[in-house]
Amino acid sequence: MINPVKIIGCFLVALTLFSCTDEIDAVNPPASSPISISGTLPVLYIDTENNKPIVSKEVYLNATYSLDPMGAEDIEALGTKAAPLPMQIRGRGHSSWKGSKKPYKIKLEKKTSIMGMPKNKHWALLKPTENTVAGLQLGKLMGMEWTPSFRPVEVVLNGDYIGLYFLTETIRIDENRVNIYEQQDKETTPDLIKGGWLVEVDNYHDKNQITIPENSRWNLTLRYHSPEDLSDAQLEWLTNEFKTINAAIYSSDKTSTEWEEYIDVKSMARFFILQEVMDNPDGFHGSFYIHKDLDDNTKWIAGPIWDLVCYNREKTDYTFRMKVHYGITPHWIGEIIQYDSFCQSVRSVWADVYPDKLSEIYTYIDATVLPLAEAWKKDCERWNEDPTQTAQLRADRIKNALRRNIEWFNNHLPISEYASIPSVQGVQTKTPIEVFNLQGFHVGKYETEADAISNLKQGVYIINHKKVIIR
């Protein structure tokens, strides 16, 4: 007879071993490799003090760095191997930190312009993906208030080649980044508490967070990045602010304009479009940043964008409604998309960027990704990854996905059920007549509008770009 106590004991031992292994994978430095740089990109050399391994996402290590342009005439060298510059470095990321190839956060001793990007102390070394190339450039093409820039570099850490990285601007309040008033830690003056916030709708439990109920199914967790150390007055203001915003968004009256008093609708429209074009399930799930300046009548601005992926599939609905291999929580967007003001802003922004501005993305992808061919090949060798994932394949893959997503979205622009368009009955128009439901899906094609109305069931439809109520 099987002893249930032994079974439980074995399970606990196995669970412990699994947990320990996961923790080891998360913090142990990777083994060194004989593979060296490709010689086709600038190289960032980093040496930690006493060659200590980087095993923490919280504690910075003292280090030095130098940047060798490797012959690139438009890149300025920084330091030398003989006379490197001071910096600090630590790990970063959540699931990405558990991979063999680690992402890093670096802090320079003083504000420095690197590879043509504006001066700052704070940077990230991210794993390179074609999604990052496309997503960040789309943010710029769509006119978001500020979008991080990046530069591809090869990195040598403590004498070991660790592959191709994107040296990327991090999201923070700064005159060259999120250019708003920066509220001070422990502020208590009421007039100074209402602005200067950089907040992230988060999907991880972390420090510097508040959590409020969003609806009956899930909570809204917000991580405040600036300021970091709140007074009681700041904590109370931030909590009440988002309770008020959330209540306005979830109003049962979808003709209400109350939520627009707090959130800049056009910025939210840009943010939504970008997530749909990228088909990024995390868009309203996590790494969803919003910020607010201190000036009179300022509103919360959606963005900057960060942590972009492309699910690379046939779209059959808006991304926040489609299933993925993990659970997502689509904060706010399911309610916001019901408001006519939002839908109208989406259409306005789309008219500004489609097709001309968005079409620029394809040339940019080729110009950015294809020169990385040799470095990406070396990176695959270094980390024992699939060598068939060439730069050409990556560029073609993301371009094909974007073309598909852009055309789908163009044919499914959101229309609010509560749009203030008068009901139309039996008006003759030219043929053919295309009929869509409120979700943007094609219902049928008819010779005249009267013919369409006579054949449609009771409901609300979009006929010739007008809302028609069939009673």
Side-chain angles (χ1 to χ4, degrees):
M1 183 175 180
I2 298 174
N3 187 332
V5 175
K6 288 185 178 180
I7 293 175
I8 295 172
C10 291
F11 173 77
L12 291 174
V13 169
L15 182 61
T16 301
L17 289 173
F18 176 80
S19 300
C20 290
T21 301
D22 188 57
E23 184 64 21
I24 290 170
D25 288 343
V27 300
N28 269 15
S32 61
S33 167
I35 297 170
S36 61
I37 62 174
S38 71
T40 61
L41 289 176
V43 180
L44 181 64
Y45 292 93
I46 300 174
D47 292 286
T48 61
E49 189 174 47
N50 299 320
N51 280 3
K52 290 180 181 178
I54 303 164
V55 296
S56 172
K57 297 189 299 178
E58 303 295 330
V59 180
Y60 278 102
L61 294 181
N62 291 327
T64 58
Y65 76 99
S66 62
L67 178 71
D68 184 347
M70 295 297 291
E73 295 180 357
D74 57 337
I75 302 296
E76 180 183 356
L78 295 171
T80 64
K81 289 184 180 180
L85 303 172
M87 63 172 287
Q88 292 182 308
I89 186 169
R90 62 170 173 82
R92 68 167 309 280
H94 291 288
S95 58
S96 58
W97 178 243
K98 297 181 180 181
S100 297
K101 183 180 180 180
K102 311 288 187 185
Y104 299 102
K105 172 77 171 61
I106 62 178
K107 182 166 66 173
L108 310 183
E109 183 182 55
K110 64 179 182 178
K111 287 187 175 184
T112 303
S113 172
I114 303 182
M115 301 177 72
M117 293 183 286
K119 287 184 177 182
N120 208 282
K121 288 184 180 181
H122 300 271
W123 307 84
L125 285 169
L126 303 181
K127 299 178 184 181
T129 73
E130 63 273 21
N131 302 328
T132 299
V133 173
L136 293 184
Q137 183 63 12
L138 283 171
K140 295 175 186 292
L141 292 175
M142 290 183 57
M144 299 191 76
E145 290 216 344
W146 176 77
T147 297
S149 295
F150 73 93
R151 299 289 187 271
V153 295
E154 292 185 277
V155 179
V156 176
L157 176 63
N158 292 330
D160 178 36
Y161 173 70
I162 59 171
L164 172 64
Y165 280 83
F166 285 168
L167 178 67
T168 309
E169 294 181 297
T170 56
I171 295 176
R172 58 191 301 109
I173 295 177
D174 183 87
E175 63 181 351
N176 293 322
R177 296 188 182 176
V178 181
N179 188 15
I180 61 174
Y181 168 81
E182 185 167 15
Q183 187 176 164
Q184 301 301 302
D185 289 342
K186 293 289 187 180
E187 182 64 72
T188 57
T189 306
D191 286 345
L192 296 179
I193 289 176
K194 61 184 180 181
W197 292 94
L198 175 60
V199 173
E200 175 189 3
V201 178
D202 208 353
N203 58 326
Y204 287 94
H205 292 295
D206 212 330
K207 61 182 181 180
N208 297 351
Q209 290 180 333
I210 63 168
T211 298
I212 63 172
E214 181 176 337
N215 55 39
S216 60
R217 293 170 291 168
W218 59 70
N219 290 330
L220 179 68
T221 296
L222 301 130
R223 182 180 178 188
Y224 45 92
H225 289 265
S226 185
E228 295 183 355
D229 191 6
L230 303 191
S231 65
D232 289 343
Q234 287 171 314
L235 181 62
E236 181 180 9
W237 185 91
L238 188 66
T239 303
N240 290 339
E241 175 80 351
F242 277 94
K243 284 182 177 179
T244 302
I245 292 171
N246 195 69
I249 288 173
Y250 274 84
S251 171
S252 58
D253 177 10
K254 287 299 183 281
T255 64
S256 170
T257 59
E258 183 182 0
W259 75 284
E260 300 172 52
E261 297 175 13
Y262 300 94
I263 293 179
D264 181 90
V265 179
K266 205 154 193 176
S267 74
M268 191 65 75
R270 288 191 180 95
F271 189 88
F272 169 71
I273 290 172
L274 191 142
Q275 309 306 329
E276 289 297 319
V277 167
M278 284 295 296
D279 192 19
N280 176 27
D282 281 343
F284 290 90
H285 172 59
S287 298
F288 169 19
Y289 285 86
I290 51 177
H291 59 278
K292 185 179 188 294
D293 208 346
L294 183 61
D295 297 337
D296 291 339
N297 302 316
T298 55
K299 300 179 182 182
W300 288 91
I301 305 292
I305 51 173
W306 188 256
D307 201 14
L308 295 158
V309 302
C310 176
Y311 224 68
N312 197 16
R313 59 187 170 176
E314 291 290 338
K315 278 174 68 68
T316 57
D317 204 340
Y318 297 122
T319 296
F320 73 90
R321 292 176 181 159
M322 293 180 67
K323 292 183 179 180
V324 292
H325 71 281
Y326 58 96
I328 62 171
T329 307
H331 298 290
W332 287 351
I333 185 59
E335 296 296 309
I336 288 176
I337 201 171
Q338 298 180 53
Y339 288 94
D340 183 49
S341 56
F342 176 74
C343 294
Q344 293 292 341
S345 285
V346 169
R347 288 172 170 269
S348 174
V349 172
W350 189 251
D352 288 340
V353 300
Y354 177 84
D356 293 345
K357 287 185 180 178
L358 290 181
S359 66
E360 296 176 23
I361 191 65
Y362 307 114
T363 302
Y364 175 84
I365 289 171
D366 281 343
T368 305
V369 173
L370 298 185
L372 306 181
E374 288 302 315
W376 233 317
K377 182 179 178 181
K378 286 285 189 178
D379 188 88
C380 287
E381 290 178 26
R382 173 63 179 87
W383 298 107
N384 196 28
E385 293 185 351
D386 183 1
T388 67
Q389 298 296 304
T390 64
Q392 185 70 62
L393 183 147
R394 295 170 187 269
D396 291 343
R397 180 168 56 206
I398 189 64
K399 287 189 297 180
N400 290 337
L402 292 179
R403 286 190 183 98
R404 184 172 62 242
N405 296 343
I406 287 170
E407 291 312 308
W408 184 92
F409 191 77
N410 185 55
N411 292 323
H412 299 87
L413 298 179
I415 300 173
S416 171
E417 179 182 353
Y418 305 94
S420 56
I421 302 175
S423 174
V424 179
Q425 299 283 349
V427 178
Q428 295 282 350
T429 59
K430 65 180 180 180
T431 60
I433 301 299
E434 302 282 357
V435 179
F436 298 86
N437 63 18
L438 286 178
Q439 287 70 47
F441 297 113
H442 190 258
V443 174
K445 182 186 292 187
Y446 301 89
E447 290 188 0
T448 66
E449 191 164 330
D451 186 34
I453 291 172
S454 66
N455 284 280
L456 292 171
K457 296 180 180 179
Q458 181 178 0
V460 183
Y461 300 90
I462 304 304
I463 302 176
N464 264 18
H465 307 291
K466 297 176 292 186
K467 188 175 81 169
V468 176
I469 303 172
I470 308 299
R471 304 185 187 281

